[in-house]
Amino acid sequence: MDKVRVGIIGFGRMGLTHYSIINTHPAVEMTAIADTSSMMLNMIKKYLPNVKMFEDYKDLLKSGLVDAVIICTPSILHYEACKLAGENGIAVFCEKPFTTSPEQSLELANMFEQKGLVNQVGYVYRFDVVFNKVKEYLDQNLIGKVSHVNAQFLSATIQSTKPAKGWRSKRENGGGATYEMGSHVFDLMNFFIGKQQKVYGSLLNQVYSESVEDICSAEVQYADGITCSFHVNWSDYTYRKPMLKLDFHGTKGKIQADLYGLKVYLRDENKEHGIPEGWTTTPMNMLPDPTPYYVRGTSFTNQLYAFADAVKESRNTTGCSFRAASETQELIHTIFENNEKQ
Amino acid sequence: MEKIDKIIFGDNQFFGINHRSQEKAEELLKRFSDVHNILKVYDDAFSCGIKAVMLNSNDRAEEICQYFRDHKEKYSDIAWYPSVPYPHKYADMVNELGIFPAINEVLFKGNSVGGVLGMIGKGAAAVFTKDAMRMMEMLLDVEFKIYRGLNVKCYFLLNPITDLVLGYNIKDVFEHYCEYVQKKYKVLPGFITLNMPYLKRKLEEWGIDNVVICSTINKAGFNMFPSKEEYEKAIAANDPEKYQLMAMSPLASGSISPKESFDYINSLNLQSVVFGASSKNHIESSVELIKL
């Protein structure tokens, strides 16, 4: 494929950002945008004369104008949009959370695999420079056999009882701390270790919100007896910026990682990697993070370039596949069900 | 083109921004929650010979600017390099309200009565004609108001906006911004970017010059996209009569020593450097090391 013709469905904050990033990719040609806001479409069409505007995404998907689409609608619409894209042979990058049901996620994963269409979900932390280093260390068995992981994602997103407007206030739209933030840490565990095996317990709690949870905690087991304690809180007022923290406990050492960098503790020196005994700290800005164009963070660019490259070269993406995202979807729903049983 | 100051005092340290450590950022945020502690650092910087300040239009900017307006005689020789907008304000609002209601909120809330009436006239027209350029002018006016009465030399568009818009490859927006800033405010237009070689290439392609470009430049190559090598090439080939280049984050958030950092900056074809520090010792030693 010479040029990849790309369309965007849903031109809100994420759609606006994704357009800017992907438009800088040398093999990409932006050809279409769909959004229900005619005000938005009218305002931008003057400046993007080569991009066709659609008020109904279905028309975009049937237009024959795109090889690939980026879907940034509310989550409730992801399933229908992905399905129609698949039926029209269009590769899909879909924002997270993937869908709002494990069955729908699985159906889409099967469909895109059978059709051989590139499929990716916007679990963007898979492209974070620190977490990639963590993945590398785990794959190299640097800290030996991992037995337990503590995974936390904390932010001050919701700080009032004032009913949140829009998607944040409804679980069926992908609202709540579990969908909005938990899904990211669940996906990271999927990236590091693989599919979860069992949810031992989960608790959802509210601080401010009425119809969704503000706090989610869960105890989950993975392959080889690895356990993980998740703690997600989007009402933690002590965090000015969202903080995603992971602690890995292994037989030969520990890894503590967050968005600012990582600390490794080794019980014995590792000569192969040149890491001494004891604590070694690597700040994020010391890790090489080659990125062609920066808009909102290197990981946002690298995930979209990975998608475009995969479409151009007709191969699987290095990002989160529909399959992996459907496993995370299953975990999210098991956590919901487990909590409801209590 | 009017020459910009060689050394400019930045503001990240005051507002809880530290690329390396959240804890350090929080600690500074606490110290500088008292505006007197900010003003004291400014006085330290001025006593070290710095005559220029870059200040973002965040929620503390108004009180800082008010102080300098109130003491204009004492600070008559200080040049201002504001950067707009304050991205968090917009990001939070857009999340909560959606894009257009957020713009509406910014334009029509918290302005004086005269301002609101003036803007509603202009704003209604902008909305009805769906004129993005008018809307941009109005948003800029709201931000620039914070710096009224100060000796502004250059208005910078902050990198989250510059780089977002740059990705769209729309010449009109850049051209219009530069013309508006030059004509209405009679100051130099500036862009802060994390993609300097890309921006510079585009501006050249579009025939837009007489612009200040501020970007992260440091020996570590931190926050230099696509690469440090591309930056070095673009800097070496630059004509400072067309684009004055300013380095920010010269210390790469503390990952390299000040001496090594500024030696690197001094070796490049740069016109200016902006740096921040919170102690007089650090300011003094940095100023001594800068030889542009």
Side-chain angles (χ1 to χ4, degrees):
Chain A
M1 191 178 293
D2 218 22
K3 278 263 181 185
V4 179
R5 298 171 307 152
V6 177
I8 293 196
I9 297 176
F11 216 55
R13 190 178 164 208
M14 284 315 300
L16 277 163
T17 308
H18 285 330
Y19 187 108
S20 170
I21 295 169
I22 198 77
N23 192 41
T24 64
H25 191 295
V28 163
E29 184 190 350
M30 296 307 296
T31 52
I33 294 173
D35 196 274
T36 49
S37 161
S38 57
M39 180 145 58
M40 174 59 88
L41 297 182
N42 279 325
M43 200 171 85
I44 53 175
K45 72 178 177 194
K46 186 169 146 191
Y47 304 103
L48 304 171
N50 301 324
V51 179
K52 190 159 166 50
M53 307 290 162
F54 294 91
E55 280 192 52
D56 187 337
Y57 74 83
K58 295 186 192 82
D59 296 332
L60 182 152
L61 291 170
K62 292 174 194 160
S63 68
L65 284 173
V66 296
D67 306 308
V69 281
I70 296 171
I71 297 174
C72 334
T73 62
S75 315
I76 188 81
L77 297 173
H78 286 176
Y79 168 72
E80 289 297 335
C82 288
K83 197 174 159 195
L84 189 59
E87 284 165 4
N88 285 280
I90 297 165
V92 171
F93 175 96
C94 180
E95 257 312 328
K96 51 69 59 174
F98 184 22
T99 69
T100 46
S101 107
E103 294 76 23
Q104 290 177 347
S105 294
L106 196 61
E107 184 192 326
L108 292 174
N110 290 336
M111 178 189 188
F112 276 71
E113 282 169 16
Q114 276 158 18
K115 287 181 169 267
L117 291 169
V118 175
N119 54 90
Q120 189 175 333
V121 174
Y123 284 117
V124 66
Y125 290 107
R126 285 187 184 231
F127 290 87
D128 179 86
V129 66
V130 175
F131 299 140
N132 269 285
K133 196 71 194 171
V134 171
K135 170 80 172 152
E136 194 186 307
Y137 282 158
L138 292 173
D139 289 351
Q140 290 163 344
N141 202 30
L142 183 76
I143 59 165
K145 189 192 169 322
V146 174
S147 53
H148 188 72
V149 186
N150 257 319
Q152 296 184 54
F153 202 176
L154 311 165
S155 80
T157 311
I158 300 295
Q159 285 307 312
S160 127
T161 46
K162 182 182 80 177
K165 284 181 190 164
W167 56 269
R168 277 210 167 106
S169 62
K170 286 186 188 146
R171 178 180 289 171
E172 57 269 33
N173 291 349
T178 311
Y179 263 135
E180 167 69 354
M181 292 169 56
S183 61
H184 277 299
V185 267
F186 303 151
D187 176 67
L188 273 178
M189 281 299 287
N190 189 295
F191 176 53
F192 293 135
I193 290 163
K195 191 183 173 183
Q196 68 281 352
Q197 290 193 333
K198 191 173 176 189
V199 176
Y200 276 94
S202 64
L203 288 169
L204 306 182
N205 207 343
Q206 291 166 326
V207 184
Y208 299 110
S209 300
E210 280 179 9
S211 50
V212 291
E213 73 288 348
D214 298 313
I215 298 176
C216 164
S217 45
E219 299 294 324
V220 180
Q221 192 192 319
Y222 290 81
D224 301 325
I226 299 172
T227 50
C228 179
S229 305
F230 290 102
H231 174 64
V232 177
N233 183 348
W234 73 357
S235 297
D236 188 331
Y237 40 78
T238 61
Y239 288 90
R240 187 175 164 268
K241 284 184 177 177
M243 177 52 83
L244 203 169
K245 294 196 244 196
L246 299 161
D247 289 358
F248 294 81
H249 182 96
T251 48
K252 293 197 245 165
K254 285 173 76 169
I255 298 175
Q256 296 183 340
D258 61 30
L259 297 167
Y260 288 86
L262 75 162
K263 279 171 82 173
V264 175
Y265 181 92
L266 291 188
R267 302 178 79 180
D268 297 303
E269 180 191 7
N270 184 311
K271 288 198 174 116
E272 195 191 330
H273 295 100
I275 303 174
E277 182 194 326
W279 286 107
T280 303
T281 302
T282 313
M284 169 269 278
N285 59 0
M286 295 304 279
L287 294 167
D289 194 10
T291 303
Y293 187 84
Y294 185 104
V295 176
R296 199 192 149 167
T298 56
S299 39
F300 278 92
T301 301
N302 290 325
Q303 73 164 352
L304 280 188
Y305 270 57
F307 173 67
D309 290 342
V311 177
K312 184 172 179 349
E313 292 156 25
S314 304
R315 56 164 173 80
N316 288 337
T317 176
T318 51
C320 176
S321 65
F322 280 9
R323 177 71 51 192
S326 73
E327 291 169 2
T328 290
Q329 196 76 41
E330 192 184 314
L331 175 56
I332 292 169
H333 284 261
T334 314
I335 285 170
F336 288 156
E337 283 161 19
N338 192 298
N339 176 68
E340 276 148 24
K341 272 189 231 152
Q342 316 272 325
Chain B
M1 167 162 52
E2 190 187 353
K3 293 277 177 287
I4 56 172
D5 290 82
K6 285 184 178 172
I7 304 178
I8 296 169
F9 195 63
D11 63 358
N12 273 355
Q13 69 281 4
F14 298 143
F15 307 121
I17 299 165
N18 186 303
H19 299 292
R20 256 190 131 185
S21 151
Q22 175 91 358
E23 274 171 31
K24 177 85 180 152
E26 298 289 338
E27 183 193 312
L28 288 172
L29 197 61
K30 199 172 164 191
R31 175 176 157 201
F32 292 120
S33 64
D34 182 347
V35 74
H36 293 100
N37 290 336
I38 296 181
L39 299 172
K40 198 191 159 304
V41 177
Y42 277 127
D43 279 334
D44 286 343
F46 301 149
S47 73
C48 295
I50 295 176
K51 298 279 175 223
V53 172
M54 181 182 270
L55 179 65
N56 177 245
S57 61
N58 61 36
D59 46 13
R60 307 292 305 280
E62 179 66 43
E63 64 177 326
I64 294 171
C65 290
Q66 192 55 47
Y67 172 83
F68 285 99
R69 269 192 295 272
D70 291 344
H71 300 82
K72 220 180 161 185
E73 281 150 35
K74 187 177 167 193
Y75 299 105
S76 60
D77 55 345
I78 302 302
W80 291 78
Y81 293 76
S83 69
V84 304
Y86 176 46
H88 294 289
K89 179 174 79 180
Y90 288 88
D92 292 349
M93 271 192 191
V94 168
N95 270 344
E96 282 295 314
L97 306 168
I99 291 167
F100 287 104
I103 290 175
N104 197 48
E105 183 94 357
V106 172
L107 292 181
F108 303 126
K109 212 178 173 183
N111 289 298
S112 67
V113 176
V116 172
L117 291 179
M119 281 174 175
I120 285 174
K122 216 175 175 186
V127 172
F128 287 125
T129 59
K130 292 151 189 112
D131 185 340
M133 297 302 160
R134 291 286 290 278
M135 199 159 336
M136 177 173 84
E137 289 177 5
M138 291 159 58
L139 288 167
L140 290 173
D141 288 344
V142 170
E143 299 282 336
F144 292 164
K145 231 174 86 180
I146 298 169
Y147 307 95
R148 64 198 177 274
L150 296 173
N151 172 29
V152 174
K153 218 163 192 181
C154 171
Y155 271 124
F156 282 106
L157 207 55
L158 209 62
N159 53 292
I161 301 299
T162 303
D163 293 331
L164 179 75
V165 178
L166 181 62
Y168 280 75
N169 195 19
I170 304 170
K171 174 187 173 182
D172 297 27
V173 181
F174 287 84
E175 200 171 53
H176 199 92
Y177 174 81
C178 292
E179 279 174 12
Y180 190 65
V181 167
Q182 277 165 323
K183 281 192 187 139
K184 176 156 183 192
Y185 291 93
K186 313 262 184 293
V187 304
L188 287 167
F191 296 106
I192 303 180
T193 177
L194 297 188
N195 308 287
M196 187 274 279
Y198 192 99
L199 173 66
K200 191 170 163 285
R201 202 162 59 236
K202 280 286 162 194
L203 292 176
E204 282 164 350
E205 186 186 313
W206 293 329
I208 301 170
D209 52 26
N210 207 19
V211 168
V212 183
I213 304 176
C214 174
S215 60
T216 317
I217 300 174
N218 53 67
K219 196 178 181 180
F222 174 61
N223 268 349
M224 297 165 77
F225 303 101
S227 67
K228 191 180 162 195
E229 292 69 34
E230 289 294 316
Y231 268 66
E232 288 174 352
K233 271 192 241 164
I235 295 166
N238 182 52
D239 173 3
E241 289 303 317
K242 289 188 170 167
Y243 305 103
Q244 297 191 71
L245 301 182
M246 183 187 292
M248 64 174 183
S249 302
L251 299 159
S253 278
S255 61
I256 30 179
S257 79
K259 168 92 173 80
E260 218 181 324
S261 302
F262 287 115
D263 280 351
Y264 177 72
I265 296 293
N266 295 339
S267 75
L268 302 170
N269 173 26
L270 296 170
Q271 286 65 57
S272 176
V273 58
V274 52
F275 79 96
S278 43
S279 81
K280 192 171 178 179
N281 279 347
H282 283 153
I283 300 170
E284 207 163 20
S285 57
S286 297
V287 169
E288 275 171 22
L289 290 167
I290 299 168
K291 309 245 178 311
L292 285 180

